[in-house]
């Protein structure tokens, strides 16, 4: 069966639950004898020789679960959790002033706790079901709210025919993504937001922005089901958008929300009038390093299996990030004559962001180019565009996560091309998934549509939520509280007692 083309007239329908993964089917093809045998045995109900074979509903079994995959995915989940606490908390905390250090730590920690509970309550069901909803292309229903029907005997698809994970493993892994994404947002308006409205915003934003976009990009029926239900997928998946681990769902999504928030809340007191240096670049370096380590779980884990393509995502996360860190330092050496630690750390994060959507598609060589390009573009936004437009994106959430995410998302359409050593895309509508014909120009157009949809969706949702909170309970503390610091006023304690 041929795939539907994207609304731009290009790209293929067939990318991954966790990010469209072409390469997985290649492995399935290499093991065709086993994969086809297992799938055929499960899918086809053999009847008397005289009667026609009638298809039976496919039912995953425990025998289709590999303990190595399970072990790797649980480790990857722990690594992604580490990206939020302690990594992001330390990275952000070191960049603010001493009087607001504890508030940032508390914001990130609480967001992780709240997001975990919201994911359990209705997030998983909204993101990864297509039943019980009037708009199955946009978001799922509540059939699995509070993990109803999920048990040790239920399974989640990978990107290979006949290979499954225990559903709890998939729930856990995706939960960590739901935790870190809203935590990224707070850096855009750090040092000037009240705690309770922020947490209320997170609950609303997860529900109205993150879960729908996760569904649109990552939800699909699975390789053993999609051929029988080719329309059972999220909107952007159906268009053929490639997003391996969250360029749109995580980084552009959070970056736009951060920009909207910093504009609605307004700049910090004294912005552009008094110095506001980071209070501990040592702590920021520790946080950035932990982010890099945790990102291997974020990206390599997004393949959902312990195999060669997880290794591909791993090395791409290594090379692209290294190139981005070097590129930022070189640019600073040329422009400022002094490469800074803050700049190198920023470059590393920019590289991590950019390679996220492309990690499972790119060749390590093109990953290096993608990381270096993203680093350069992010440098311009952080140092030039922000100053020219005078918006106070405190910790450069927009300049690095959104801009880096856009470069990575669009660049994925280029680096995924098999002619450049990429992995292409896979037609999962075939009973045994197979490689599809790659059209770089068409795929890039599809990627641009995906980026635009993400920006529009989260921009509208974020603005509505921030404005509603601003004009009801208020978002910003008083000038006196902001001047004294959020630590003592919002939480009754200080990060440091001298």
């Amino acid at each position: 069966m041929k795939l539907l083309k994207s609304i731009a007239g290009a790209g293929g329908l067939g990318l991954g639950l966790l990010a469209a993964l072409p390469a997985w089917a290649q492995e399935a093809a290499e093991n065709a004898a086993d994969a086809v045998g297992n799938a055929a045995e499960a899918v086809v109900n053999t009847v008397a020789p005289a009667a026609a074979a009638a298809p039976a509903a496919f039912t995953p079994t425990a025998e289709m679960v590999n303990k190595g995959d399970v072990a790797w995915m649980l480790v990857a989940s722990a690594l992604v959790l580490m990206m939020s606490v302690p990594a992001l908390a330390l990275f952000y905390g070191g960049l603010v002033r001493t009087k607001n250090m504890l508030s940032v730590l508390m914001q990130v920690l609480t967001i992780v706790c709240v997001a975990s509970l919201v994911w359990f309550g209705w997030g998983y069901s909204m993101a990864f079901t297509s039943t019980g909803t009037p708009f199955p292309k946009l978001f799922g229903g509540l059939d699995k709210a509070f993990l109803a029907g999920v048990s040790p005997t239920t399974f989640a698809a990978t990107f290979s025919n006949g290979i499954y994970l225990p559903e709890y493993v998939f729930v856990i892994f995706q939960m960590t993504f739901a935790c870190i994404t809203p935590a990224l947002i707070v850096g855009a308006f750090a040092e000037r937001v009240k705690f309770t409205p922020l947490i209320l915003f997170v609950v609303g934003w997860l529900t109205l922005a993150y879960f729908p976009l996760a569904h649109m990009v990552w939800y699909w029926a699975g390789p053993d089901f999609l051929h029988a239900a080719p329309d059972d997928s999220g909107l952007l998946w159906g268009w053929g958008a490639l997003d391996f681990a969250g360029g749109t769902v995580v980084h552009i999504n959070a970056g736009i929300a951060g920009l909207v928030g910093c504009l609605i809340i307004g700049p910090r007191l004294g912005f552009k009038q008094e110095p506001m240096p980071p209070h501990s670049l040592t702590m920021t370096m520790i946080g950035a390093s932990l982010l890099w380590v945790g990102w291997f779980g974020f990206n390599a884990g997004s393949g959902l299996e312990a195999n060669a393509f997880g290794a591909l995502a791993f090395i791409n996360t290594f090379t692209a990030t290294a190139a981005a860190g070097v590129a930022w330092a070189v640019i600073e050496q040329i422009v400022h004559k002094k490469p800074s630690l803050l700049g190198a750390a920023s470059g590393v994060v920019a590289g991590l962001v950019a390679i996220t959507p492309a990690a499972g598609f790119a060749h390590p060589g093109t990953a290096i180019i993608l990381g270096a390009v993203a680093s350069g573009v992010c440098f311009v936004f952080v140092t030039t565009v922000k100053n020219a437009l005078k918006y106070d994106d405190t910790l450069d959430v927009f300049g690095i996560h959104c801009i880096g995410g856009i470069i990575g998302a669009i660049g994925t359409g280029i680096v995924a091309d098999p002619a450049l050593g990429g992995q292409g895309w896979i037609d999962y509508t075939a009973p045994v998934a197979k490689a599809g014909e790659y059209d770089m120009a068409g795929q890039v157009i599809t990627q641009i549509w995906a980026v635009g949809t993400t920006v529009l969706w989260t921009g509208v949702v974020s603005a509505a939520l921030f404005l509603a909170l601003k004009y009801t309970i208020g978002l910003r503390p008083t000038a006196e509280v902001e001047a004294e610091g959020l630590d003592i006023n919002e939480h009754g304690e200080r990060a440091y007692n001298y």
Side-chain angles (χ1 to χ4, degrees):
M1 177 187 295
K2 296 288 187 180
L3 283 180
L4 297 175
K5 294 299 182 180
S6 74
I7 59 172
L13 172 66
L15 322 181
L17 165 59
L18 199 71
L21 284 194
W24 270 239
Q26 295 177 10
E27 179 167 310
E30 292 170 3
N31 297 285
D34 290 337
V36 173
N38 291 338
E41 200 172 320
V43 175
V44 176
N45 182 20
T46 304
V47 295
F58 181 86
T59 304
T61 65
E63 289 71 28
M64 298 177 184
V65 174
N66 181 283
K67 289 183 178 179
D69 293 336
V70 173
W72 162 236
M73 291 307 300
L74 291 176
V75 170
S77 300
L79 288 171
V80 181
L81 177 60
M82 186 184 74
M83 291 172 65
S84 302
V85 284
L88 183 68
L90 292 175
F91 181 77
Y92 278 178
L95 290 173
V96 300
R97 290 168 288 182
T98 305
K99 63 184 179 180
N100 295 313
M101 166 64 166
L102 184 140
S103 71
V104 172
L105 300 182
M106 182 62 177
Q107 288 167 10
V108 173
L109 178 63
T110 305
I111 286 172
V112 169
C113 295
V114 170
S116 299
L117 298 176
V118 172
W119 180 256
F120 165 78
W122 59 90
Y124 176 66
S125 188
M126 283 187 65
F128 290 106
T129 69
S130 61
T131 55
T133 169
F135 303 105
K137 287 289 184 183
L138 302 181
F139 51 83
L142 299 177
D143 290 354
K144 290 189 177 182
F146 301 96
L147 300 189
V150 180
S151 75
T153 62
T154 58
F155 303 97
T158 65
F159 296 99
S160 298
N161 293 97
I163 299 179
Y164 286 80
L165 292 170
E167 191 169 8
Y168 275 134
V169 174
F170 184 69
V171 171
I172 292 165
F173 183 66
Q174 286 292 346
M175 180 187 288
T176 61
F177 280 65
C179 290
I180 192 171
T181 306
L184 293 171
I185 300 172
V186 303
F189 40 80
E191 302 195 293
R192 61 190 191 279
V193 66
K194 293 195 290 185
F195 181 75
T196 299
L198 172 63
I199 301 306
L200 293 176
F201 167 81
V202 166
V203 174
W205 187 84
L206 283 168
T207 303
L208 300 176
Y210 181 81
F211 301 151
L213 279 167
H215 179 87
M216 284 188 262
V217 174
W218 287 335
Y219 174 75
W220 64 306
D224 294 311
F225 299 93
L226 196 65
H227 67 280
D231 292 327
D232 190 8
S233 64
L235 181 67
L236 301 188
W237 165 279
W239 289 356
L242 298 166
D243 189 348
F244 189 88
T248 52
V249 180
V250 176
H251 297 292
I252 299 174
N253 201 3
I256 290 296
L259 176 65
V260 171
C262 82
L263 293 175
I264 290 176
I265 294 172
R268 287 166 291 176
L269 294 177
F271 178 64
K272 293 295 183 183
Q273 298 173 345
E274 60 184 67
M276 299 179 181
H279 90 278
S280 177
L281 286 177
T282 302
M283 209 163 288
T284 294
M285 168 59 184
I286 294 170
S289 302
L290 289 173
L291 278 171
W292 193 349
V293 174
W295 224 291
F296 291 120
F298 195 90
N299 282 357
S302 291
L304 304 182
E305 298 176 58
N307 60 17
F309 300 105
L312 176 66
F314 199 112
I315 192 171
N316 284 339
T317 304
F318 229 140
T319 58
T321 306
V326 169
W328 198 297
V330 169
I331 292 170
E332 284 195 324
Q333 177 67 56
I334 295 171
V335 175
H336 303 304
K337 310 304 180 186
K338 294 179 180 179
S340 68
L341 174 62
L342 177 57
S346 299
V348 162
V349 175
L352 290 166
V353 169
I355 196 57
T356 291
F361 302 115
H363 182 277
T366 57
I368 289 173
I369 297 172
L370 183 61
V373 169
S375 186
V377 176
C378 289
F379 176 86
V380 171
F381 269 82
V382 167
T383 61
T384 304
V385 175
K386 184 171 76 168
N387 288 332
L389 299 181
K390 296 182 173 57
Y391 59 88
D392 187 13
D393 178 5
T394 311
L395 308 182
D396 296 311
V397 176
F398 173 74
I400 291 180
H401 288 276
C402 182
I403 299 304
I406 290 173
I407 297 298
I410 296 174
T412 298
I414 298 172
V415 301
D417 193 335
L420 299 176
Q423 298 304 312
W425 62 273
I426 289 301
D427 181 357
Y428 287 106
T429 63
V432 176
K434 61 184 181 181
E437 184 178 347
Y438 200 83
D439 174 7
M440 181 194 287
Q443 190 62 53
V444 168
I445 292 172
T446 302
Q447 298 300 107
I448 293 172
W449 274 101
V451 168
T453 301
T454 303
V455 169
L456 180 62
W457 186 285
T458 194
V460 171
V461 168
S462 300
L465 290 171
F466 277 124
L467 289 171
L469 289 166
K470 179 178 181 178
Y471 292 111
T472 52
I473 63 175
L475 279 169
R476 189 164 184 158
T478 64
E480 292 76 17
V481 166
E482 187 175 337
E484 188 176 4
L486 300 182
D487 288 6
I488 193 66
N489 286 287
E490 286 280 313
H491 306 291
E493 52 191 354
R494 301 183 190 276
Y496 306 100
N497 292 294
Y498 299 106

